[in-house]
Structure formats: structure tokens, C-alpha cells
Amino acid sequence: THKPAVELAGRLLQMVNNDFGAQGTESSFDGFEVEKMQHDYVLNKVFLSDSGSISVEVAMKMALQYWFTLQNDQSSHSNNRTNPTRKTKFISLRNGYHGDTFGAMSVCDPVNGMHSMFAGVLAQQFFVDSPNGPHLNDAAATLAQIEDILKDRSHEVAAVILEPIVQGAGGMKFYHPSVLKRVRKLCDDHDVLLIFDEIATGFGRTGSLFAGWHDEESYRPWSSLDESQDEVNSSKRDCQSANSIVYPDILCLGKALTGGYMTMGATVTNKRISNGISDTGGVFMHGPTFMANPLACSVALASVNLMVQSPWLERVRSVERSLIKSMSPLAKLDSVREVRVLGAIGVCELHKGLTREEMASVQQQLVEDGVWLRPFGKLLYTMPPFNCGDLEVEHLNKIGDAIHKVASKL
């Protein structure tokens, strides 16, 4: 290996195991020794790859190879030579999005997603309804469906994969963090792995260093439909307990990993998975040519170091307040169903989906107004940067004004 890869892996393990404390600062611990971490799901192995989508491919292959190796080993020590049912399926949420590569496409929404034309050739997975709102009771059907599948088919299921708290390109929907705790318990009860896809949500985007760290205090999405919500800038939000963190068995990272300068992804897992694959002499079956290349590793290391040394949480909160102020007037438009904000994510959901021609026209109008956004379906959304002090309130106001201008004409 090489120094940038080693240093990057060490830095990522610090971050994903909360060795910086809940706010992602470097002041909470003197040093990082993964073997001394106390929680039950210590993430201690990093596999570096080419992109976020490939990190999902790697995660899925890790889960499949883990069960394949384990079941083969059990069969070799058993007098019963009948082939056991292989754990080869995944449970995923509808409206989920995990990437455009082949395996990742199979766990994206098969009906409403962008990959429906490939439905006949993709691996068939189990899908459950996504939570229909931001509150815990909005996820009752989701949790019940996951439990039903696991009760009947856990012998077929390798892992549950989901985007924690925010479903990204599948609809920019927010859901309650307690869902993650309950899914974690269901996976443990039924001997199934849990994969978090934090490619879009990781590195502070939602107001927590990772979305899986949210608790009931830190998770305060703002919605134009919720008149009873508390103030989003409550001081309690930034005092998360380490006990609230939900750790997956496998974690996928990308996007902000390199600050957008280089293509790179990372898949992080625990000793259970890595030992399960390698203890009997196995080797993880993935090895892209440019994985962990020194240039991308150096860029990623510089990016994450800049983040943890910056007042990133303060900046996210500032962006959040500005988005609420600039986008809330959109809710008064007849064409708008809801405006919602969480961290540095602002979403305007329309009543009706845009046609292809309307999307092209809306995007052109936004560009002419000096704003680069990608409308799709019913959504006009923004995920502005928070990695510098130069993002002025006027820039965020400009985004809100440009969206208001196009939405008022729909």
C-alpha cells in the first residue's frame, strides 16, 4: 500500500467510529485505537474504490461473499451435504437510490426509479414501502414489512440496505432516526447484515457528521406542512449522545469524500465481515485498477482534514436557517405541495411531476438566473456547499428567489 491510503483509512476510521465526538471535532480524544472502542459494531476495515456507486457494489459483494464463505464452511463441517439456501437477497426501501452500476441498480426503486428499463435483467430483491413522512409513526408500515420478510425469508436475505434519514435522488424524503434503531435490532434478531448508504448524507450534510448519528434532539427537519414543529436552531440539537448512534455492518461513502475534486468511494466494515471472508484463506473478490490511487487518496485526506478542522456544524446550521428563510415563501404557491429543509438540504416538492420538456425549460431558466440546479420529477432541490466561509446569505437567497421564479410559472 502507500502512505496516503494508510493515512486516509485511519482518518476515516476515526470519523466513522465517532473518535471525534458527536460534533466531529478533534478535541474529544487524544488518539485513535480501534481495538479499544467500546461499541458493538466497531468499523475497522476500509476498502477504497472509484466512486460512490462502486462503494455500494463493494458493500453488496462483501455481504454476499461473507455469507457464501460462512455457509460453505458450515457445509464442509456437516454430515448433511444438501445445499443450504443461499443468503443472496437484499431488502431495500422504495424510493431509494444507490447508484447506476449493475448491482446498485437492483436495490434502487424498481418502479419509480430511473432504472425501470433494466428491470428484466437485474437481480430481484425485496422492496418495502418507504416511510411516508418525517415522524416515527410514518414508518410503521415500513418496519412491519421488513419484519414480515425477515420472519419468513431471513434465510435468503444477506442484508438490508438503506439511505439513513434522507432518501436522496429517489425523492429527497426525510424519515425519523428511530427507524434506524429498529431496523438494526431486526437485523440482529434475524442474523442479517445492515448496510448504510451515506454517499449523499455523510460528512455533515444533514447536520450530523453522519446521518446514522441523529437522535430525536438533533433530528429536526423543517416542513411547510408541520405547524407544530419546534425551533430548528434549538441548542440541544448539537449535543448528541454517543449512545444514540446507530452503526451498520457496512458503510458506503463517496461524494463529499474528496470535496468533488476527484472520483472516489469508500466502503467501511467491521471485523465480523472481514474475518468471515478471510479467516479460511479467502480473498475479497474485488480489485479495480484505480482503487486507492495515491492522487485520489491525497485529495480525500486533504478534504476530510479541512472539514474536521473547520466549524462545519456552525456552517451547516447557518445554511439551514438561510434555506428555511429563502425557501419557505415557496409554500404559498399553488404549484407547490411542500417545502422541507434538513441541514444543508432544501427541497421544494411540486404537486405534479415535470415533463422532460418542462425539466429542460426549468433548468435553463435557473441557469439564466445564475443558479445551477437539477430539477427532476416533482422536485426542485438544492444541496449547497458548506465547506467555506464565502457562501453568503445572499447566495442562498438567490437560490430561493430563482426557484420561486420558475415555480410561480408552473
Side-chain angles (χ1 to χ4, degrees), residues 20 53 123 151 174 186 188 192 219 240 272 358 361:
F20 297 121
S53 182
K151 282 181 177 178
F174 309 153
L186 286 171
D188 291 343
V192 166
Y219 172 76
Q240 295 163 257
R272 173 192 177 187
E358 286 174 328
S361 174

Side-chain angles (χ1 to χ4, degrees), residues 15 33 43 54 56 103 106 119 144-145 161 163 165 189 196 227 249 263 276 288 298 310 341 353 367 385 408:
M15 298 178 80
E33 296 182 60
L43 297 163
I54 299 300
V56 173
S106 75
Q145 290 170 28
I161 181 170
E163 302 156 280
I165 307 300
D189 290 346
F196 281 176
E227 297 179 354
D249 296 292
T263 177
S298 297
S310 73
V341 176
V367 170
S408 64

Side-chain angles (χ1 to χ4, degrees), residues 27-165:
S27 59
S28 300
F29 292 82
D30 293 329
F32 178 67
E33 296 182 60
V34 73
E35 300 301 331
K36 294 183 180 180
M37 296 297 291
Q38 297 300 309
H39 64 79
D40 294 331
Y41 303 95
V42 174
L43 297 163
N44 60 359
K45 301 292 181 182
V46 181
F47 191 98
L48 299 169
S49 60
D50 304 70
S51 68
S53 182
I54 299 300
S55 76
V56 173
E57 296 283 336
V58 169
M60 295 174 71
K61 289 174 75 172
M62 278 183 183
L64 293 173
Q65 191 171 342
Y66 168 77
W67 290 117
F68 180 85
T69 305
L70 197 67
Q71 290 176 315
N72 269 7
D73 186 53
Q74 291 171 345
S75 296
S76 67
H77 291 89
S78 173
N79 293 324
N80 183 2
R81 296 300 180 182
T82 59
N83 290 325
T85 302
R86 295 291 186 191
K87 291 169 78 75
T88 59
K89 299 284 189 181
F90 293 84
I91 298 176
S92 184
L93 302 184
R94 296 192 182 278
N95 300 307
Y97 175 79
H98 300 283
D100 296 334
T101 49
F102 215 66
M105 285 196 297
S106 75
V107 289
C108 297
D109 190 305
V111 177
N112 300 312
M114 61 183 73
H115 304 130
S116 57
M117 70 177 71
F118 301 103
V121 294
L122 296 174
Q124 300 300 298
Q125 314 292 7
F126 296 119
F127 288 90
V128 300
D129 293 337
S130 59
N132 59 16
H135 307 295
L136 180 55
N137 58 4
D138 295 323
T142 304
L143 294 168
Q145 290 170 28
I146 293 174
E147 185 172 16
D148 287 345
I149 294 172
L150 290 177
K151 282 181 177 178
D152 295 337
R153 311 288 288 273
S154 63
H155 59 286
E156 299 176 55
V157 178
V160 175
I161 181 170
L162 49 80
E163 302 156 280
I165 307 300

Side-chain angles (χ1 to χ4, degrees), residues 128-331:
V128 300
D129 293 337
S130 59
N132 59 16
H135 307 295
L136 180 55
N137 58 4
D138 295 323
T142 304
L143 294 168
Q145 290 170 28
I146 293 174
E147 185 172 16
D148 287 345
I149 294 172
L150 290 177
K151 282 181 177 178
D152 295 337
R153 311 288 288 273
S154 63
H155 59 286
E156 299 176 55
V157 178
V160 175
I161 181 170
L162 49 80
E163 302 156 280
I165 307 300
V166 179
Q167 289 190 286
M172 304 304 292
K173 296 183 175 182
F174 309 153
Y175 64 90
H176 199 276
S178 293
V179 174
L180 304 179
K181 291 185 178 180
R182 300 194 182 192
V183 174
R184 174 74 272 180
K185 187 176 188 307
L186 286 171
C187 288
D188 291 343
D189 290 346
H190 294 277
D191 201 18
V192 166
L193 303 180
L194 178 60
I195 301 171
F196 281 176
D197 176 351
E198 292 243 25
I199 293 163
T201 56
F203 303 105
R205 175 58 59 181
T206 66
S208 182
L209 191 57
F210 297 99
W213 294 12
H214 274 291
D215 58 21
E216 294 192 9
E217 290 293 345
S218 67
Y219 172 76
R220 299 287 179 88
W222 184 90
S223 170
S224 60
L225 299 180
D226 189 351
E227 297 179 354
S228 64
Q229 58 203 349
D230 296 330
E231 285 292 320
V232 298
N233 60 353
S234 167
S235 60
K236 294 182 179 179
R237 296 186 72 196
D238 302 335
C239 301
Q240 295 163 257
S241 166
N243 294 327
S244 71
I245 296 174
V246 179
Y247 291 96
D249 296 292
I250 306 174
L251 176 67
C252 302
L253 302 172
K255 290 193 187 300
L257 176 60
T258 63
Y261 281 90
M262 293 286 292
T263 177
M264 192 176 206
T267 308
V268 191
T269 192
N270 56 39
K271 186 176 290 186
R272 173 192 177 187
I273 308 303
S274 61
N275 287 358
I277 291 172
S278 62
D279 272 1
T280 57
V283 176
F284 181 54
M285 300 303 292
H286 196 87
T289 301
F290 291 100
M291 59 176 278
N293 72 82
L295 180 56
C297 288
S298 297
V299 170
L301 184 61
S303 178
V304 295
N305 282 342
L306 282 171
M307 179 188 177
V308 298
Q309 293 163 10
S310 73
W312 66 268
L313 184 55
E314 178 184 330
R315 289 173 178 172
V316 171
R317 293 285 177 249
S318 176
V319 170
E320 183 179 57
R321 290 190 293 269
S322 294
L323 285 175
I324 293 170
K325 185 177 180 180
S326 66
M327 295 185 67
S328 56
L330 291 163

